[in-house]
Amino acid sequence: MGKAARITQILFLISLLSKQILSQDVGEHVAARTVKQEEGHAHKVHCSRERSRAAWQAIEEYLMPFVEREQYQISSKCRLHPSNDLFRDQEEHKIHVDINEWKCGYCKKHFRAEKYLDQHFDNRHYNLLNISDGKCMADLCGALHCDFMMDSKSTKTKCNPAAVAKNHHLCESLADSCFPLNQGPSASRLHELFLHQFCDAHTCSGNKKLFPKGGKKKTSVFYLAISILTMMMIPLFYLIVYLHQSEMRKGTQELRRISKRKTKPS
């Protein structure tokens, strides 16, 4: 009777385990199918997010500090205006939590890398894109030196005079439309700056420096590391000094006791 009960119990456990495995397999199949469906429904945008990001980075680092200094308001008709960036709202909803952690500002979902967050935006938040003709910031890459922004150590390629002339013309048209010379002293100064900062480097002569006016000041990683190390070393230094002084005082007191013993009459 006891043996039969044990066999029944084993058969019941086997049946239960097989149901769980089957359920897990079905669940994984459904999950995989859902991911494939999401990828299948991913909307295709004919605008490079990566190059748009590089274009905006060039604007933000090498143009906006001077625009802010002049307290100049860029017109929304200017192609450099944030509203003309297809991905601007999504980029502003990226939260860089840690080195290997990004968070979606819309739905608070976490990701291990920025590229996965980009894919999430394409799949889940496509409806929030600012879709409109002529709003692809990547189209301005020729003028804004996106290749340099994406890889400042890239190897030099043979100069193409036709491409250089095209990029220079685009660059000058941006200067004319965004900073019209008839809009006052600030616009005139920014027009001149934009030509020197972005347009002059579009040449095959190779003697023009890129972004000669500089840009937004960045905190050096080396400087930051040295500062942190210094802050850590200061308390340690005082601790060593304190311990050294304590040992010196103890040594002095010990010498005094020894000298007193030697001076005592026998």
Side-chain angles (χ1 to χ4, degrees):
M1 190 71 179
K3 187 176 180 180
R6 282 197 298 271
I7 292 172
T8 304
Q9 188 177 11
I10 290 169
L11 291 173
F12 174 76
L13 290 173
I14 291 172
S15 175
L16 184 63
L17 183 61
S18 63
K19 286 180 180 179
Q20 288 179 345
I21 292 172
L22 180 63
S23 177
Q24 185 177 359
D25 288 341
V26 171
E28 289 177 354
H29 176 70
V30 171
R33 187 175 60 189
T34 303
V35 170
K36 287 181 180 179
Q37 285 176 348
E38 287 181 4
E39 291 176 353
H41 287 88
H43 300 272
K44 296 293 182 182
V45 180
H46 300 289
C47 179
S48 169
R49 182 188 292 272
E50 187 179 9
R51 293 184 69 78
S52 294
R53 186 185 301 134
W56 180 253
Q57 184 183 353
I59 295 168
E60 193 172 38
E61 290 187 16
Y62 297 105
L63 176 63
M64 292 312 295
F66 303 99
V67 173
E68 292 168 2
R69 189 181 304 168
E70 291 285 351
Q71 297 182 342
Y72 183 82
Q73 294 294 324
I74 295 179
S75 169
S76 59
K77 295 179 180 179
C78 167
R79 294 181 69 182
L80 304 175
H81 193 275
S83 64
N84 293 319
D85 181 7
L86 176 67
F87 302 105
R88 181 70 355 229
D89 188 69
Q90 287 190 350
E91 290 293 314
E92 290 176 352
H93 279 80
K94 286 182 177 179
I95 303 170
H96 196 180
V97 181
D98 206 344
I99 297 175
N100 294 319
E101 185 179 2
W102 292 77
K103 185 168 76 171
C104 172
Y106 297 119
C107 62
K108 312 305 179 185
K109 198 170 183 179
H110 289 253
F111 300 89
R112 290 177 299 169
E114 187 178 15
K115 65 178 182 179
Y116 298 126
L117 179 54
D118 288 341
Q119 293 172 4
H120 170 74
F121 281 151
D122 292 338
N123 295 333
R124 289 293 187 178
H125 303 298
Y126 171 83
N127 60 313
L128 299 173
L129 282 178
N130 184 17
I131 300 173
S132 179
D133 292 335
K135 289 197 173 184
C136 180
M137 195 66 75
D139 292 342
L140 308 180
C141 273
L144 301 177
H145 308 283
C146 292
D147 291 334
F148 173 83
M149 299 303 299
M150 294 169 70
D151 184 10
S152 59
K153 297 180 181 179
S154 60
T155 55
K156 292 184 178 180
T157 56
K158 187 177 179 180
C159 186
N160 184 338
V164 167
K166 181 181 178 181
N167 291 335
H168 192 274
H169 177 72
L170 174 61
C171 192
E172 287 185 332
S173 68
L174 288 173
D176 294 339
S177 61
C178 296
F179 311 107
L181 293 173
N182 61 355
Q183 293 295 316
S186 292
S188 298
R189 286 192 291 269
L190 289 170
H191 183 278
E192 189 70 17
L193 177 134
F194 192 87
L195 292 177
H196 289 309
Q197 190 82 317
F198 293 92
C199 304
D200 287 352
H202 290 297
T203 175
C204 286
S205 64
N207 58 0
K208 293 292 184 179
K209 183 182 177 183
L210 190 59
F211 309 129
K213 300 293 184 180
K216 185 185 292 184
K217 293 181 179 179
K218 295 181 180 179
T219 303
S220 170
V221 176
F222 176 76
Y223 174 78
L224 186 62
I226 291 296
S227 301
I228 294 172
L229 185 61
T230 302
M231 294 298 292
M232 293 173 63
M233 290 298 292
I234 289 174
L236 184 60
F237 171 76
Y238 282 111
L239 178 61
I240 292 171
V241 171
Y242 172 76
L243 293 174
H244 177 70
Q245 290 178 346
S246 299
E247 290 295 324
M248 290 289 290
R249 283 195 294 267
K250 288 179 182 178
T252 304
Q253 291 172 359
E254 188 65 27
L255 286 172
R256 285 176 182 174
R257 281 197 294 268
I258 293 170
S259 62
K260 284 180 181 180
R261 290 172 188 171
K262 287 183 179 180
T263 54
K264 283 183 181 181
S266 53

